[in-house]
């Protein structure tokens, strides 16, 4: 039963919904779904009070479980994610970081008797070194591997008896809230249809895979030998189709991948050993930073580790500059090395780009590695100083984020140059459609039949059939930052860059129409709290109404200009080869990802010849190879037509 406000035939505003099981929700609805602040009481009496987005606990909230446990903190898509405090009924508690429903990050496990362990956690398991503190105030620094062995004496209060039970965090009796879709039936006026559909999402990860013994708060399992060991938590989430092919041992570039990983590990580790300092002009001179090659013999050397690949040499360009850039872009050095140089192999995209470059992705999708020409390396190093100043001044710049430039010289003398970049589409959201746009029309189509297009296909200007509607503040920010970035590229003589767009459709019907093989449920609306000024960091959070400004936010969200941005995609009409809004097309709620890529091409002699040749075949204004000032103006005009204000 639903009681409350309606808007356009759907539950919107304040309302109350009750299930036959006795569960109830009272709070805010939007477009027939729970969205905003509200209170959910389950059939077992478990109660959640806090923020919701698209029928999911998302934002700041408090949940009291039926067994007396309680969690207060950040949620993301029905799971604890971010900073939070979990208190067990027996008084033990954990205060710290969570990820996908399990303890991950820095945090403290505190026993009711005052004993505590402070350290880093990963997937519910202590990792690395931490500090044990006794109720008396004494402390002992040790490794996390010592924690289970000490747990019985360290955490157990006098006379405590281990009780075998399961924690509320495991998700017992904590099923995903049903998705509510409420609307008036179009067939019979006045009839109200309510479909309750099971939410499509990952099941709650369990902290402990088997029955766990809790000795006053220290949870561990015993192996066959009787030695306590920590239980591991394995989260199972639906996997979408991922672009690229894993580079296995039989892959032709397997040895090159290993050499790249060895080289980056050496370079980043070597630069990290030097104290961070302010950049000097000499740091931008590649001749100062790459005068010699580092040799990597298979047997190893004083400076390098032994390895199983052939002999190769390695060159690192401007290491201090890129170290500063990684810090500016909030990339942790350890995470950077683990992502690229860890045990997981890279993935190679199925085919090289038009330029002949190959692309590699890390398994966690955070970083993209591209092979480049010598001319592209020279251009990047030439503009590196001004690039650093630009991205430092405008934190929301849409230009590609660069993290490193390297070169491998193999045993046969072949040189392979790499740049490491941020992956624009690194997200838990599945990208259903992707477009590479230049603002030109000549040859700008994917040349694929409809049944050949899937979520990994990169479409082009003439394939685009949407305009994107953004709320006013996002619309203003986008066009202002686009102008700044294009002015910068024009001043550097850069042209032929692209505007890459990734679209995630929030409803499964639209996703299936786009040819998606797997749909991942996602929040419908995310809000921006304030417009950035002068390129400052934007804070975002969740609110009762998707277009309300929220001045006080408790947490910085993943949303920023160009990443995880809420909007609407409207089917559009095409005139003169380009799309224009027609106000009558079908509209989809979407999450958008976009940025400016391929910025390492100047208006060289080759491009001038290309312009002259193609101008004889077609309209000169329709080709990509034009001088930087014209390219910038045309580019901005085109993006201005496909991104419009949502009135």
């Amino acid at each position: 039963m639903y009681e409350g406000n309606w808007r356009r035939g759907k539950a919107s505003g304040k309302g109350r919904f009750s299930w036959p099981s006795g569960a109830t929700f009272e709070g805010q609805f939007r477009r027939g779904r729970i969205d905003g602040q509200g209170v959910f009481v389950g059939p077992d009496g478990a109660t959640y009070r806090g923020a919701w987005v698209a029928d999911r606990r998302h934002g700041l909230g408090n949940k009291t479980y039926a067994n007396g446990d309680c969690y207060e903190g950040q949620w993301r898509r029905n799971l604890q994610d971010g900073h939070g405090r979990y208190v067990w009924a027996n008084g033990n508690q954990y205060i710290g970081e969570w990820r996908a429903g399990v303890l991950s990050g820095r945090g403290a496990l505190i026993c009711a008797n005052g004993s505590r362990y402070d350290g880093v956690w990963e997937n519910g398991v202590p990792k690395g070194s931490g500090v044990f503190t006794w109720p008396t105030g004494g402390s002992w620094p040790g490794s996390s591997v010592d924690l289970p062995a000490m747990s019985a004496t360290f955490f157990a209060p006098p006379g405590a008896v281990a009780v075998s039970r399961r924690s509320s965090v495991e998700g017992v009796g904590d099923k995903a809230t049903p998705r509510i879709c409420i609307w008036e039936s179009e067939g019979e006026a006045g009839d109200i249809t309510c479909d309750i559909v099971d939410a499509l999402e990952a099941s709650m990860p369990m902290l402990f895979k088997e029955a766990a013994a809790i000795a006053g708060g220290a949870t561990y399992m015993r192996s066959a030998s009787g030695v306590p060991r920590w239980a591991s938590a394995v989260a199972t989430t639906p996997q979408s189709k991922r672009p690229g092919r894993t580079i296995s041992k039989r892959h032709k570039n397997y040895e090159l991948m290993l050499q790249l990983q060895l080289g980056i590990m050496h370079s980043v580790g070597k630069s990290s050993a030097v104290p961070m300092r302010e950049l000097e002009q000499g740091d931008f001179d590649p001749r100062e930073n790459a005068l010699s090659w580092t040799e990597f013999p298979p047997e190893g050397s004083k400076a390098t580790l032994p390895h199983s690949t052939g002999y190769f040499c390695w060159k690192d360009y401007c290491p201090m500059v890129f170290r500063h850039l990684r810090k500016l872009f909030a990339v942790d050095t350890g995470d950077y090395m683990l992502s690229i140089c860890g045990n997981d192999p890279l993935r190679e995209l199925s085919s090289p780009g038009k330029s002949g470059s190959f692309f590699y992705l890390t398994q966690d999708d955070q970083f993209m590695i591209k092979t480049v020409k010598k001319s592209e390396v020279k251009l990047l190093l030439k503009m590196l100083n001004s690039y650093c100043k630009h991205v430092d001044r405008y934190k929301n710049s849409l230009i590609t984020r660069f993290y490193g430039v390297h070169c491998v010289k193999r045993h046969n003398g072949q040189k392979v140059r790499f740049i490491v970049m941020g992956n624009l589409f690194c997200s838990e959201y599945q990208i259903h459609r992707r477009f590479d746009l230049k603002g030109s029309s000549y040859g700008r189509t994917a040349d694929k039949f409809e049944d050949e297009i899937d979520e990994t296909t990169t479409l082009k200007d003439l394939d685009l059939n949407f305009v994107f509607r953004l709320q006013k503040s996002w619309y203003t920010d986008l066009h202002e930052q686009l102008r700044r970035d294009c002015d910068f590229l024009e001043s550097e003589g850069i042209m032929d860059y692209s505007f890459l767009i990734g679209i995630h459709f929030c409803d499964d019907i639209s996703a299936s129409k786009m040819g998606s093989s797997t749909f991942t449920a996602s929040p419908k609306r995310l809000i921006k709290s304030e417009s950035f000024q002068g390129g400052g960091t934007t804070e975002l959070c969740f609110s009762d109404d998707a277009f309300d400004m929220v001045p006080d936010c408790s947490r910085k969200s993943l949303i920023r200009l160009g990443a995880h941005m809420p909007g609407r995609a409207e089917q559009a009409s095409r005139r003169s080869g380009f799309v224009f809004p027609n106000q009558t097309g079908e509209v989809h709620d979407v999450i958008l990802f976009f940025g400016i890529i391929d910025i390492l091409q100047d208006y060289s002699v080759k491009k001038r010849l290309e312009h002259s040749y193609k101008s004889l075949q077609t309209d000169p204004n329709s080709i990509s190879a034009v001088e930087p000032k014209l390219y910038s103006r045309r580019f901005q005009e085109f993006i201005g037509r496909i991104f419009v204000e949502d009135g």
Side-chain angles (χ1 to χ4, degrees), residues 375 379 493-495 600-611 625-628:
S375 60
L379 181 59
I494 305 298
M495 44 76 68
L600 300 181
Q601 178 61 60
D602 58 2
Y603 198 45
S604 61
V605 173
K606 180 181 177 181
K607 285 295 178 180
R608 294 172 191 269
L609 292 174
E610 179 184 341
H611 173 81
V626 295
E627 58 91 14

Side-chain angles (χ1 to χ4, degrees), residues 331-506:
V331 175
D332 179 77
T333 300
D335 292 341
Y336 182 73
M337 292 180 66
L338 185 63
S339 180
I340 299 175
C341 312
N343 293 327
D344 294 327
L346 304 177
R347 300 199 317 273
E348 183 182 73
L349 296 190
S350 56
S351 61
K354 185 178 179 181
S355 63
S357 299
F358 284 87
F359 295 85
Y360 304 95
L361 283 172
T362 56
Q363 287 291 350
D364 60 7
D365 289 334
Q366 286 193 64
F367 306 106
M368 178 176 285
I369 301 169
K370 178 184 178 182
T371 62
V372 292
K373 302 173 184 176
K374 182 178 180 180
S375 60
E376 292 175 295
V377 171
K378 291 178 66 176
L379 181 59
L380 176 56
L381 297 177
K382 178 184 176 183
M383 62 184 283
L384 190 56
N385 198 339
S386 54
Y387 169 83
C388 289
K389 293 177 181 177
H390 181 81
V391 296
D392 185 37
R393 181 179 181 185
Y394 302 113
K395 300 297 191 295
N396 284 324
S397 173
L398 300 172
I399 294 176
T400 302
R401 296 183 170 188
F402 294 110
Y403 300 133
V405 179
H406 314 284
C407 182
V408 170
K409 183 163 68 174
R410 312 189 73 181
H411 58 84
N412 59 2
Q414 177 194 13
K415 293 181 181 179
V416 184
R417 298 170 180 86
F418 299 92
I419 55 174
V420 184
M421 309 173 288
N423 178 20
L424 197 61
F425 297 153
C426 177
S427 171
E428 64 182 39
Y429 292 103
Q430 182 182 352
I431 304 300
H432 298 123
R433 275 289 182 270
R434 56 191 75 206
F435 293 91
D436 180 297
L437 309 173
K438 292 180 180 288
S440 57
S441 58
Y442 182 72
R444 296 297 297 164
T445 179
D447 288 332
K448 283 195 174 185
F449 294 108
E450 189 66 29
D451 58 355
E452 296 177 325
I453 297 174
D454 62 15
E455 60 266 35
T456 65
T457 304
T458 300
L459 304 173
K460 298 182 180 180
D461 299 65
L462 296 181
D463 305 308
L464 182 66
N465 57 343
F466 294 105
V467 292
F468 304 102
R469 297 192 171 276
L470 302 177
Q471 66 181 84
K472 184 177 180 180
S473 57
W474 284 124
Y475 172 81
T476 303
D477 292 350
L478 168 61
H479 287 276
E480 182 63 23
Q481 189 58 51
L482 184 67
R483 179 188 60 78
R484 293 166 176 159
D485 289 338
C486 287
D487 286 349
F488 165 74
L489 295 173
E490 181 185 333
S491 68
E492 295 294 327
I494 305 298
M495 44 76 68
D496 210 22
Y497 41 89
S498 299
F499 197 85
L500 187 64
I501 302 178
I503 310 171
H504 169 85
F505 292 91
C506 293

Side-chain angles (χ1 to χ4, degrees), residues 40-58:
F40 175 82
V41 181
D44 59 355
T47 303
Y48 172 82
R49 300 173 184 271
W52 298 76
V53 172
D55 303 333
R56 291 169 176 79
R57 295 183 288 273
H58 200 117

Side-chain angles (χ1 to χ4, degrees), residues 186-206:
E186 296 180 359
E188 302 176 21
D191 279 359
I192 296 175
T193 304
C194 175
D195 287 354
I196 301 179
V197 186
D198 288 338
L200 177 62
E201 62 188 34
S203 60
M204 176 78 80
M206 298 197 307

Side-chain angles (χ1 to χ4, degrees), residues 13 33 73 228 408 504 547 565 569:
R33 308 181 75 172
V408 170
H504 169 85
F547 295 97
M565 281 189 58

